[in-house]
Amino acid sequence: MLHPPHQSLQVAAVPQQRVPVRNRDQDAPWHTEAVCRRDEAGLFFAPSKEPTAARLSREEAAKRVCARCPVLVECREHALLQPEPYGVWGGLTAAERRVVLARRRRREVELQKSAPAPTVAAAG
C-alpha cells in the first residue's frame, strides 16, 4: 500500500497543462514529489462539522495547491483506484471523484454494448 505524503496524501485542481517532471528518480514513489507534502494537511481534509462556506473555501485553496503539483495525475488515479473516500486528492473532492468514477463505469458499459460480438469460427 502506498503511504501518503502526510497523514494522508492530499492534492487538488486540474491545471490546463501538466508540466513534465524532469530528472525525477523513476524508482521513487510518485507521492514523494507531491506539493501537498509541504503544505498543511488540514487544507485537504475537512474538520468535523465544518460550515459549507468554510469547506468550499478550504477545498478551493487545496485545489490551488494541486494545480501546481507535478504528480497531480498520479495522485488523482491513486485516489480513484483506491478509492479514497475523504479529502481533496488529485484536484478533486470526494464528491467529484464519485462523479468521475460513475462516468467511467457508464463509459465502460457503453463501450461493452457497442463492441462487436465475438464471432465463433465454425469447425470444419
Side-chain angles (χ1 to χ4, degrees):
M1 179 174 169
L2 290 175
H3 296 294
H6 349 88
Q7 284 63 30
S8 43
L9 178 63
Q10 315 83 310
V11 200
V14 184
Q16 293 296 339
Q17 182 177 0
R18 185 163 177 248
V19 178
V21 177
R22 296 172 200 228
N23 301 323
R24 184 167 55 175
D25 180 0
Q26 297 301 317
D27 295 329
W30 63 267
H31 54 79
T32 60
E33 298 291 325
V35 173
C36 65
R37 291 179 61 96
R38 299 179 292 274
D39 287 305
E40 176 62 40
L43 186 61
F44 298 91
F45 291 92
S48 62
K49 300 179 183 178
E50 181 179 34
T52 301
R55 176 182 53 82
L56 293 172
S57 176
R58 180 189 47 73
E59 288 173 347
E60 285 305 312
K63 289 178 178 188
R64 284 191 300 274
V65 171
C66 295
R68 66 180 197 267
C69 185
V71 294
L72 177 126
V73 172
E74 293 89 336
C75 178
R76 179 175 294 170
E77 282 306 308
H78 165 81
L80 292 167
L81 293 173
Q82 285 304 312
E84 293 291 347
Y86 305 107
V88 174
W89 289 69
L92 301 175
T93 64
E96 291 166 336
R97 291 191 302 275
R98 286 190 295 273
V99 169
V100 170
L101 288 170
R103 286 180 181 161
R104 283 185 180 183
R105 284 190 295 271
R106 282 194 302 271
R107 190 175 325 127
E108 288 173 13
V109 167
E110 291 301 317
L111 288 173
Q112 289 173 355
K113 286 181 183 177
S114 66
T119 56
V120 178

